[in-house]
Amino acid sequence: MYLGLDLGTSGVKALLIDAGQTVVGSGHGSLDVSRPHPGWSEQDPSHWIRACEDAIAELKTSHPRQFAAVKGIGLSGQMHGATLLDAADEVLRPCILWNDTRSHVEAAALDADPRFRALTGNIVFPGFTAPKLAWVKNNEPAIFAKVAKVVLPKDFLRLWLTGEHISEMSDSAGTSWLDVGQRRWSADLLAATFLDEKQMPSLVEGTHKAGGLRAELASKWGIGAGIPIAGGAGDNAASACGMGTVSAGHAFVSLGTSGVLFAANASYLPNPASAVHTFCHALPDTWHQMGVILSATDSLNWLSEITGKGAGELTSELGDALKAPSGVSFLPYLSGERTPHNDSAIRGSFTGLAHESSRAVLTQAVLEGVAFAFRDSLEALKTAGTTLTRVTAIGGGSRSRYWLKAIATALQMPVDIPADGDFGAAFGAARLGLIAATGADPLTVCSAPRTDGTIEPDAALGGAYADAYHRYRALYPAIRAVTA
């Protein structure tokens, strides 16, 4: 058996697979996010350990015999979080999360240093790790002075599991300290934030062993001490391993809290001006590009809270047949936007509202707005040298066929729906645990799931969607002008 642990923003998932990659069972532990000030987003790392123990306890209780046969563990997790440790590995402050925008001033200052884009292949976004450390230095100097190690969220779990400070390439590529082409820490970029390599974890590839399970935990859980913990991956790269999106030309669209258009690449293809993320993949000698939107299902969840109707109720009001855009447009910038704008200050809007704009019209506009945000990412990927012909849909929002029809029509390409199964980050992490434990071929293990169906673009509505996308594109500069 092989265990995948995925540390998300809202919880930890533990997933057990057998040697044939059949999912045996799963467990879950819940997490909350603290937002003490506007634009802030934090979690207490000790809560990650509690949630992980809850998830494992649930899995161990439901499948005791299978859990006892675990021979490898893989990790995935939310990216970019700044977890600051002192010399005794004690946490110095709550972790500053990926969707925290407090460091936008520091991010702009680092991005103005041409070395960052040249070496990382990316804009320095406020959500990345390096500007968060610059913010801590500027605003919490006593804490900054005590920083002995900076680790990413999943690698804090690894420290608890193994006692070692180790990370891997895909997650570390989102710090703004990694030389992404050379797959190593950059002394120059670290020095620009008054840090050095001694304060970073060591690096391995995601498929390689990165520590062994501590005897204390092995005894507590009833599994073997020292079993290998794989390097693992950041959540999106782990999902790509779960989806088999590891070879050039393969892509997925993820409708989760945030939205991701993810494309695997056989080589390093940076184009930071497009606001596309260019990161190392979890497999050696592979990279990937991502367009990222910060509020995908979060946009529908926001509308759900406002209306007092569940997200499923809202989408069911639209029926099954795709409708022409109504003239009401929604910009899904509830917490700023990454691709293609790199704008932490922009906020969302409805435009074109009229007396006849019903709740269903607002829901339709939200789904279309997120679909058009994915179209923005597709156009950005094109400028970065990646052309896609189809995508596979994953994430909770992909349960809405209407939403997938809107995305297919907005992107003007087929959207494949995988057969029933769990192909998310926890499954990808379990695959990486299997590879690290057995030495199996990564490309063989990370195969694509069977396609259960394909949603084609609605040809009859292609023109109407093109017009609505043109309106959508024109709204950003207009809204920006009055919110700057």
Side-chain angles (χ1 to χ4, degrees), residues 79-167:
M79 296 178 67
H80 314 304
T83 315
L84 312 184
L85 308 177
D86 67 13
D89 285 336
E90 294 296 324
V91 175
L92 289 167
R93 67 170 328 284
C95 176
I96 306 175
L97 300 188
W98 59 275
N99 54 354
D100 187 294
T101 57
R102 78 185 73 176
S103 63
H104 59 93
V105 172
E106 289 81 4
L110 295 179
D111 194 49
D113 181 338
R115 294 176 297 175
F116 278 88
R117 291 194 184 192
L119 290 171
T120 71
N122 292 278
I123 291 171
V124 182
F125 291 91
F128 284 12
T129 321
K132 293 168 183 168
L133 269 292
W135 183 92
V136 172
K137 183 178 187 298
N138 291 340
N139 294 274
E140 299 173 347
I143 288 176
F144 186 84
K146 296 178 183 177
V147 173
K149 288 287 183 185
V150 182
V151 296
L152 295 160
K154 80 172 192 319
D155 299 319
F156 182 78
L157 281 185
R158 186 195 318 279
L159 176 61
W160 168 63
L161 291 167
T162 71
E164 297 190 58
H165 304 99
I166 305 173
S167 190

Side-chain angles (χ1 to χ4, degrees), residues 249-263:
H250 293 182
F252 68 76
V253 59
S254 173
L255 267 171
T257 302
S258 60
V260 175
L261 183 61
F262 183 109

Side-chain angles (χ1 to χ4, degrees), residues 329-331 333 343 345-351 471-484:
S329 297
F330 174 72
L331 299 185
Y333 306 144
D343 191 338
I346 191 69
R347 289 296 179 264
S349 71
F350 280 109
T351 59
R471 285 197 305 274
Y472 175 91
R473 289 286 295 168
L475 283 170
Y476 170 76
I479 297 299
R480 188 70 182 91
V482 297
T483 58

Side-chain angles (χ1 to χ4, degrees), residues 334-355:
L334 300 180
S335 57
E337 192 56 293
R338 285 204 190 163
T339 310
H341 303 303
N342 182 31
D343 191 338
S344 62
I346 191 69
R347 289 296 179 264
S349 71
F350 280 109
T351 59
L353 294 173
H355 286 294

Side-chain angles (χ1 to χ4, degrees), residues 4-15 27-32 43-53 55 74-81 83 95 97-98 151-158 160-161 171 233-236 238 425-427 429:
L5 297 173
D6 175 43
L7 168 56
T9 312
S10 59
V12 173
K13 182 173 185 178
L15 185 79
H28 185 267
S30 296
L31 291 168
D32 294 316
Q43 284 179 330
D44 180 343
S46 69
H47 295 175
W48 300 338
I49 292 175
R50 173 196 48 76
C52 189
E53 289 187 309
L75 303 177
S76 71
Q78 49 169 300
M79 296 178 67
H80 314 304
T83 315
C95 176
L97 300 188
W98 59 275
V151 296
L152 295 160
K154 80 172 192 319
D155 299 319
F156 182 78
L157 281 185
R158 186 195 318 279
W160 168 63
L161 291 167
D171 213 356
D235 51 5
N236 289 302
F427 182 65

Side-chain angles (χ1 to χ4, degrees), residues 114-424:
R115 294 176 297 175
F116 278 88
R117 291 194 184 192
L119 290 171
T120 71
N122 292 278
I123 291 171
V124 182
F125 291 91
F128 284 12
T129 321
K132 293 168 183 168
L133 269 292
W135 183 92
V136 172
K137 183 178 187 298
N138 291 340
N139 294 274
E140 299 173 347
I143 288 176
F144 186 84
K146 296 178 183 177
V147 173
K149 288 287 183 185
V150 182
V151 296
L152 295 160
K154 80 172 192 319
D155 299 319
F156 182 78
L157 281 185
R158 186 195 318 279
L159 176 61
W160 168 63
L161 291 167
T162 71
E164 297 190 58
H165 304 99
I166 305 173
S167 190
E168 48 70 47
M169 306 302 174
S170 69
D171 213 356
S172 298
T175 62
S176 291
W177 290 313
L178 194 77
D179 182 330
V180 174
Q182 297 298 316
R183 303 171 87 93
R184 65 189 181 202
W185 295 120
S186 166
D188 287 348
L189 300 185
L190 286 164
T193 49
F194 301 91
L195 297 166
D196 61 46
E197 199 166 340
K198 294 195 299 291
Q199 291 164 290
M200 297 294 111
S202 60
L203 291 172
V204 301
E205 295 290 349
T207 53
H208 294 173
K209 180 181 176 180
L213 185 65
R214 291 191 296 118
E216 175 191 349
L217 290 176
S219 176
K220 178 179 178 181
W221 295 340
I223 58 179
I227 64 172
I229 313 290
D235 51 5
N236 289 302
S239 292
C241 291
M243 287 298 302
T245 310
V246 295
S247 300
H250 293 182
F252 68 76
V253 59
S254 173
L255 267 171
T257 302
S258 60
V260 175
L261 183 61
F262 183 109
N265 304 111
S267 59
Y268 176 50
L269 298 171
N271 188 352
S274 67
V276 164
H277 298 348
T278 302
F279 291 159
C280 303
H281 210 325
L283 276 60
D285 301 318
T286 58
W287 286 260
H288 66 82
Q289 293 172 322
M290 293 190 297
V292 176
I293 63 177
L294 292 178
S295 298
T297 60
D298 246 10
S299 294
L300 186 60
N301 291 337
W302 167 81
L303 186 65
S304 174
E305 282 189 30
I306 296 297
T307 60
K309 294 289 184 179
E313 289 180 89
L314 291 176
T315 56
S316 67
E317 289 179 347
L318 298 178
D320 294 327
L322 192 65
K323 295 174 173 59
S326 68
V328 176
S329 297
F330 174 72
L331 299 185
Y333 306 144
L334 300 180
S335 57
E337 192 56 293
R338 285 204 190 163
T339 310
H341 303 303
N342 182 31
D343 191 338
S344 62
I346 191 69
R347 289 296 179 264
S349 71
F350 280 109
T351 59
L353 294 173
H355 286 294
E356 61 270 20
S357 299
S358 64
R359 183 173 64 212
V361 166
L362 299 187
T363 301
Q364 180 184 343
V366 166
L367 302 191
E368 290 167 359
V370 172
F372 292 144
F374 281 123
R375 173 67 182 271
D376 272 352
S377 287
L378 178 66
E379 297 302 322
L381 283 173
K382 288 179 184 176
T383 67
T386 295
T387 301
L388 303 178
T389 58
R390 65 193 311 119
V391 294
T392 299
I394 63 170
S398 66
R399 289 192 292 269
S400 168
R401 292 296 175 103
Y402 189 99
W403 212 344
L404 295 187
K405 290 175 187 175
I407 290 170
T409 306
L411 299 183
Q412 282 296 292
M413 69 175 62
V415 175
D416 293 325
I417 302 168
D420 285 344
D422 193 325
F423 306 110

